[in-house]
Amino acid sequence: MSNSRAALAKPLDAADGVPGAGTLAPVSPLPLKQPRPGGYRLEPAFYEPARVPAEVLHYAGTPPSLPVGSPGKVGVLQLAFAQNGGRTELVRHYQKSPLQIMHPLYYNTLRPDMAYTYLMSTGGGILQGDRLRTDLSFGPGTSAHVTTQAHTKVYRMEHDYASSVMNIAVEADAYLEYLPDPVVPFIDSRFYQQTAVVLDESATMLLGETVYAGRLARGERHAYAVYASDLEVRRPDGRLIALDRVRLCPGGQASGVSGLGVLADRDVLAMLYVFTPRVPVAVLADRLHAVLAEDFGDTLLFGVSALPGDVGVWLRLVGNDTIAVARANTAAASAVHELLTGVSAPVIRKS
């Protein structure tokens, strides 16, 4: 390289065919974009949601300290599971703080092939300007249960908002239970949660979501600024089979979210979606309704509906007793687990 540059810089004479001898000006190197430390995962196009609801985007801004993209503000978790020797195992794993996991566990003696994985955070909760992204992939024939280690706390915010993007791919004949603990939005918090699922027609998925009105023990009740959640479930060819939007914008006043058709003046909202070809939709819906009506009909308000195209069922319930809602969520998921797998669901271990 040095010899070539020296040749280009030599004096020109008449033999070069250029009138007027002289020297070539030095060539400046082309400006190259320097990649961010961490590669593509720290590019905004990767960790920012493709779209943010207007109710949340309204609060966009630049925090005076630790703005979006700063160290510790972008959490990334990417996991892939595959069958290996008759057992579902973690075959790919990338994590960037604050998101992380421990090794999958296999404590279900009735389903020793099923991996139980806990999503964890090194921080105490979600802060303003946080951008979280999780990608979960479940290969053909896998069986897995994914949950969180504890409740997700969304802290008070003065600048900007926080977002969490969850991408899930469930391939042929796979069985997935994704049942995270509740989200607790603190006073003045602004949070957007986006869940996008690609589900094979032969696969089964249970997906849950629960949100509290706030720190109920401290008297906070719908004091958050906005809680928004989007769920989209598609087939591998892009066909949309389920879409659910949640927009809770009390603005500090419970009247904005407590009416009938929203929370009916209750403090806890919970949803369970079940997609499966294993049993008829009517059988699944009747089973869910019977389990909840028997033990929770007097304390919780709930409904069970068939999803369009008979791809599964949808359960939504509201209540004031967080313990009762937790028990109802467990009872519903356990009943579905037993109906679809033929064995009892284990007690999910948590600290």
Side-chain angles (χ1 to χ4, degrees), residues 4-69:
S4 299
R5 287 180 177 173
L8 289 173
K10 72 179 182 179
L12 297 177
D13 53 28
D16 294 315
V18 179
T23 59
L24 290 175
V27 178
S28 300
L30 292 175
L32 298 177
K33 180 181 178 182
Q34 296 298 319
R36 289 172 176 259
Y40 70 90
R41 295 184 179 93
L42 288 185
E43 294 292 335
F46 180 78
Y47 60 75
E48 291 281 7
R51 63 180 183 279
V52 178
E55 297 89 343
V56 179
L57 195 60
H58 167 74
Y59 293 98
T62 302
S65 61
L66 292 179
V68 175

Side-chain angles (χ1 to χ4, degrees), residues 77-91:
L77 182 63
Q78 295 174 299
L79 308 176
F81 295 83
Q83 269 201 341
N84 185 12
R87 189 173 81 160
T88 296
E89 295 187 350
L90 182 64
V91 295

Side-chain angles (χ1 to χ4, degrees), residues 139-218:
T142 53
S143 295
H145 178 104
V146 178
T147 185
T148 51
Q149 184 188 32
H151 290 28
T152 298
K153 303 177 183 66
V154 186
Y155 289 130
R156 186 172 191 165
M157 300 177 185
E158 297 178 348
H159 306 275
D160 203 56
Y161 58 88
S163 66
S164 175
V165 174
M166 172 70 68
N167 298 310
I168 303 175
V170 191
E171 298 186 35
D173 298 316
Y175 178 92
L176 169 65
E177 297 174 352
Y178 174 60
L179 303 172
D181 279 357
V183 176
V184 185
F186 286 24
I187 185 173
D188 293 334
S189 61
R190 308 100 174 239
F191 183 54
Y192 175 50
Q193 179 172 268
Q194 181 187 88
T195 303
V197 181
V198 177
L199 182 70
D200 189 86
E201 292 192 20
S202 62
T204 292
M205 181 181 68
L206 285 68
L207 188 149
E209 178 182 352
T210 302
V211 57
Y212 288 178
R215 292 179 291 180
L216 302 177
R218 299 188 56 168

Side-chain angles (χ1 to χ4, degrees), residues 103-137:
H103 289 294
L105 304 176
Y106 299 88
Y107 54 72
N108 186 350
T109 57
L110 299 178
R111 289 294 305 273
D113 63 308
M114 194 168 181
Y116 286 75
T117 304
Y118 295 77
L119 308 184
M120 306 168 65
S121 173
T122 57
I126 297 176
L127 304 173
Q128 62 187 18
D130 281 2
R131 300 293 190 267
L132 309 178
R133 172 168 171 164
T134 301
D135 298 335
L136 305 177
S137 176

Side-chain angles (χ1 to χ4, degrees), residues 241-294:
I241 62 171
L243 174 66
D244 193 16
R245 303 264 193 258
V246 175
R247 302 288 186 269
L248 302 178
C249 309
Q253 300 295 323
S255 59
V257 298
S258 60
L260 185 64
V262 185
L263 286 176
D265 202 30
R266 306 305 205 279
D267 292 334
V268 186
L269 169 66
M271 287 82 73
L272 177 67
Y273 313 86
V274 183
F275 303 88
T276 184
R278 298 190 178 193
V279 298
V281 169
V283 173
L284 182 57
D286 289 346
R287 178 63 176 151
L288 274 173
H289 190 277
V291 167
L292 294 179
E294 181 177 356

